């Protein structure tokens, strides 16, 4: 089995971009805004999402669901901290929370997380 056979999922990668500073008036500028482009920066990347770690925090008035997992990508994939990664088959959105690491000039991996909020009825 080759490594390319291991990469059995597909994802899109969105790089975080800095927006314009909004003027506050009196010659002051506000904090910069950050966001993601409408179109992905990298389309249809072969990847593999590993098993997940799920944490449910029971808070009042809502419960917070935190899912963390590791993603494997081919060598040379331009992945950065705080990038948005969308798992195409599942339609789930993750955020990169660790610096991407290159393993023995073979592949790239990083830890990603997804947050979900359960609201009360």
């Amino acid at each position: 089995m080759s490594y390319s056979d291991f990469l059995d999922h597909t994802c899109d990668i969105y790089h975080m971009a800095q927006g314009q500073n909004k003027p506050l008036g009196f010659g002051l500028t506000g904090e910069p805004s950050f966001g993601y482009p409408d179109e992905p920066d990298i389309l249809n990347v072969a990847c593999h999402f590993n098993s997940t770690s799920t944490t449910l925090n029971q808070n009042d008035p809502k419960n917070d669901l935190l899912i963390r997992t590791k993603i494997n990508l081919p060598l040379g994939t331009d992945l950065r901290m705080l990038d948005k990664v969308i798992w195409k088959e599942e339609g789930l959105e993750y955020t990169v929370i660790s610096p991407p690491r290159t393993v023995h000039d073979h592949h790239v991996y990083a830890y990603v997380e997804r947050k979900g909020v359960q609201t009360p009825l």
Side-chain angles (χ1 to χ4, degrees):
M1 182 172 144
S2 68
Y3 184 72
S4 60
D5 292 336
F6 174 68
L7 302 175
D8 56 350
H9 304 135
T10 308
C11 62
D12 289 341
I13 299 174
Y14 297 77
H15 298 311
M16 180 176 278
Q18 180 176 348
Q20 298 293 326
N21 293 357
K22 296 180 181 177
L24 297 175
F26 301 104
L28 300 173
T29 57
E31 295 180 3
S33 61
F34 295 93
Y36 299 102
D38 294 332
E39 296 297 320
D41 294 300
I42 305 173
L43 280 168
N44 299 324
V45 179
C47 62
H48 179 76
F49 287 86
N50 294 312
S51 60
T52 61
S53 165
T54 305
T55 305
L56 178 64
N57 295 325
Q58 294 183 341
N59 298 326
D60 190 28
K62 61 185 177 194
N63 296 332
D64 297 324
L65 179 65
L66 177 65
I67 299 172
R68 289 189 178 164
T69 188
K70 185 169 97 172
I71 183 173
N72 293 297
L73 300 154
L75 183 66
T77 303
D78 183 17
L79 187 68
R80 307 170 190 166
M81 281 283 294
L82 301 178
D83 277 356
K84 178 170 68 170
V85 177
I86 296 183
W87 184 353
K88 304 237 344 198
E89 290 85 2
E90 301 293 328
L92 301 175
E93 181 179 312
Y94 293 86
T95 303
V96 178
I97 60 168
S98 71
R101 307 274 189 222
T102 301
V103 179
H104 302 295
D105 290 330
H106 184 263
H107 67 278
V108 176
Y109 79 89
Y111 289 96
V112 294
E113 77 178 10
R114 170 176 170 258
K115 295 181 181 177
V117 177
Q118 181 183 6
T119 56
L121 298 174

